[in-house]
Amino acid sequence: MTDPRHARYYAFVWPLFWPWLWLNLRRLEAWQEETGRTVLLRIDRFGNIYITAMADAPNPQRYQYTAPVIPAWERPVRWSDLPENLVAGVVPLAKCCAAAVTQAKAVTISGTPPVAPDTS
């Protein structure tokens, strides 16, 4: 009948009011499963539950990721504090460095490419 997580509540409430506490805890758990909210609660000796604080309602669109339309290396000004007058020198440098890394084809003794390029 009792959940071990709620043992401390039952230890605090007088045994005569345990059925009332059980009913209130069942109602609270059902409401929490329905809404997805967590609460900070206070219980008196009679098994009454008082909600002291309540968490915000979960936002269903909170964890969705949308990729940017423009890659970061094409317009670094959008993703950094770099002034626009310095972008002209940075973008060609970034493209030439990225091309050298992506076009590098190193082969080890076993014939498979290494995980990282050899920089020794």
Side-chain angles (χ1 to χ4, degrees):
M1 180 173 166
T2 61
D3 191 356
R5 295 178 298 156
H6 303 308
R8 59 187 171 163
Y9 303 143
Y10 287 98
F12 180 72
V13 174
W14 289 326
L16 177 66
F17 299 103
W18 282 359
W20 181 244
L21 175 65
W22 177 82
L23 179 66
N24 284 335
L25 288 173
R26 296 275 298 197
R27 289 176 42 214
L28 179 67
E29 285 181 0
W31 177 81
Q32 283 180 326
E33 286 183 18
E34 179 185 331
T35 61
R37 298 175 111 175
T38 57
V39 295
L40 178 66
L41 53 98
R42 184 173 50 92
I43 297 177
D44 63 4
R45 293 279 186 178
F46 301 106
N48 296 318
I49 295 177
Y50 303 98
I51 296 177
T52 306
M54 186 180 311
D56 293 335
N59 186 357
Q61 298 174 350
R62 184 175 182 184
Y63 300 109
Q64 293 180 353
Y65 172 75
T66 56
V69 179
I70 300 169
W73 59 84
E74 287 187 11
R75 289 190 54 199
V77 177
R78 288 185 69 185
W79 289 274
S80 70
D81 294 331
L82 189 65
E84 283 197 48
N85 58 355
L86 296 177
V87 173
V90 174
V91 173
L93 178 64
K95 285 184 179 177
C96 75
C97 294
V101 172
T102 56
Q103 293 173 358
K105 293 185 179 180
V107 177
T108 61
I109 297 173
S110 65
T112 59
V115 176
D118 185 15
T119 57
S120 61

